[in-house]
Amino acid sequence: ILVRSSIAIPPRMLQLATLLLAFAFIGSALAFASEAPQRNKIALVSGANKGVGKEIARRLGSDPDITCLIACRNVELGEKAAADLRSDVTKDGVKCDVIALPIPFDLTDDESIEACAKYVEDEYSVLDILINNAAICFNDPTLYGVLKEPVGFRDQADITIKTNYFGTLATTQSFLPLLKKSTSPRITNIASAAGRLTILQSQELVDKFTSETLTIPELSELMEQFVADVQDGTHSEKGWPNTCYGVSKLGIIALTKILARQHPDTLCNSVDPGYCKTDQNNNQGVTDPSRGAYTPYLLSVMEPESDEEGEEVSGLHFFEEGEIPWSYQ
């Protein structure tokens, strides 16, 4: 069902909360009119044992029409988080429906990713919503806590890009067949202001990342080039920034736009949750993780919609319920 909001919307800006209210009303009316039972939508959030990921799972699991799966590297921590979330009960008496995958999910291990996809296929046969949230950042003191010694910038590049970019790519590709079975598939990639275009100091690089014909192999080559340039000490002179995490999130935003072009039947968007108070920044953030989880939740439950220019809400980058330019300017 395609519903256009009667509220004036600035060009290429989406008022997600307003649309959600309209869709909730229509959805309630349709549910009342039909007695046919409908299955819950199946959502999966990676890296959801804490922080923004856990809060996204809380919001999705508290929706009576959604069963939310969480995929975590540490199964025990995932099960603990799921048990904590299941203890939540909404004001309407709805229990948070969250289930932790009983097998480890590791962005650096393709076999573990494929095993998780196989598990979801065997248990649920379909996936409606994929939230790619899992990532690493070398500012995270909990990450340093599991490392034997601090990792230098040159080594950070390979680990960060392999985990955040290539791991997310592998996850998306592994779950795409299940998403294609959904009547309204969604992919939401959690990005960051750290991945804004302005971190690039080369117009040539900007042009490559923003090209409408950029392919996944070409983007992957760019990400590998960054790692190589960091390792040989030439990244700065070639226009790359001094942030591995930023480049990984730059790649995630670019990947989102490619996926939206390649899969027009799937709503693919990226979200900046804001500077949330999480382990990643030693809890120095200024935004509550539950606030950062709101836009990913809205993108997961809203109906497909077109803006005033007739474009689908896909291939866009969001911050606080509104589309934001990739340049942040």
Side-chain angles (χ1 to χ4, degrees):
I1 299 172
L2 183 64
V3 180
R4 292 185 180 276
S5 172
S6 60
I7 297 175
I9 302 176
R12 300 188 58 75
M13 289 294 289
L14 174 66
Q15 304 301 325
L16 291 173
T18 301
L19 290 171
L20 180 61
L21 290 174
F23 299 143
F25 175 80
I26 293 171
S28 298
L30 290 174
F32 179 78
S34 174
E35 296 182 358
Q38 294 183 346
R39 68 168 180 83
N40 267 18
K41 289 186 176 182
I42 305 300
L44 184 140
V45 185
S46 65
N49 60 288
K50 60 180 180 178
V52 175
K54 184 178 181 181
E55 295 307 316
I56 295 173
R58 188 191 308 277
R59 288 187 179 274
L60 290 170
S62 297
D63 188 304
D65 298 322
I66 297 174
T67 294
C68 184
L69 312 177
I70 61 174
C72 305
R73 184 172 54 183
N74 186 307
V75 173
E76 184 178 350
L77 291 179
E79 291 176 344
K80 182 178 179 181
D84 177 59
L85 291 169
R86 285 195 296 271
S87 68
D88 273 9
V89 180
T90 69
K91 291 183 293 185
D92 298 325
V94 177
K95 292 185 178 180
C96 189
D97 186 4
V98 174
I99 301 170
L101 297 190
I103 53 179
F105 171 85
D106 188 339
L107 285 176
T108 64
D109 184 348
D110 287 352
E111 289 186 0
S112 84
I113 294 171
E114 292 167 3
C116 286
K118 182 65 166 58
Y119 178 86
V120 174
E121 180 181 23
D122 291 344
E123 294 294 320
Y124 303 96
S125 76
V126 65
L127 184 65
D128 301 282
I129 302 160
L130 174 63
I131 310 286
N132 283 312
N133 168 77
I136 64 165
C137 177
F138 280 86
N139 290 333
D140 187 344
T142 63
L143 176 64
Y144 278 121
V146 299
L147 296 174
K148 294 181 179 179
E149 58 186 30
V151 178
F153 184 72
R154 291 188 179 188
D155 293 324
Q156 286 181 26
D158 182 55
I159 298 171
T160 304
I161 300 303
K162 179 181 180 181
T163 305
N164 296 358
Y165 171 75
F166 285 102
T168 297
L169 173 59
T171 300
T172 302
Q173 292 175 329
S174 292
F175 281 99
L176 264 173
L178 291 177
L179 287 161
K180 292 297 183 182
K181 295 181 179 181
S182 172
T183 57
S184 183
R186 313 292 168 93
I187 299 173
T188 299
N189 294 323
I190 304 304
S192 168
R196 62 195 181 278
L197 274 177
T198 49
I199 65 174
L200 296 174
Q201 301 303 307
S202 161
Q203 187 58 48
E204 181 181 358
L205 284 176
V206 171
D207 292 343
K208 288 181 178 179
F209 274 95
T210 58
S211 171
E212 290 293 324
T213 61
L214 183 66
T215 64
I216 289 177
E218 290 170 342
L219 174 58
S220 296
E221 186 176 341
L222 282 170
M223 304 305 285
E224 290 170 342
Q225 188 60 53
F226 167 71
V227 174
D229 291 343
V230 168
Q231 291 178 341
D232 67 20
T234 63
H235 69 285
S236 293
E237 64 188 68
K238 292 181 179 178
W240 296 106
N242 291 313
T243 166
C244 300
Y245 180 76
V247 172
S248 75
K249 292 301 183 179
L250 182 85
I252 290 299
I253 298 173
L255 175 63
T256 303
K257 295 181 180 298
I258 296 173
L259 289 170
R261 293 196 297 269
Q262 291 184 342
H263 304 280
D265 59 335
T266 303
L267 295 188
C268 305
N269 294 287
S270 56
V271 176
D272 172 5
Y275 188 43
C276 296
K277 185 178 181 180
T278 65
D279 285 346
Q280 192 176 90
N281 52 46
N282 200 23
N283 292 302
Q284 297 301 304
V286 296
T287 302
D288 190 278
S290 64
R291 178 69 182 90
Y294 190 46
T295 299
Y297 165 71
L298 292 180
L299 286 168
S300 299
V301 299
M302 65 171 286
E303 294 291 335
E305 177 60 38
S306 295
D307 64 16
E308 288 186 336
E309 298 177 359
E311 297 183 17
E312 288 191 344
V313 182
S314 191
L316 307 179
H317 184 54
F318 288 90
F319 173 68
E320 293 187 348
E321 297 82 68
E323 184 199 353
I324 187 172
W326 191 359
S327 65
Y328 281 71
Q329 294 179 338

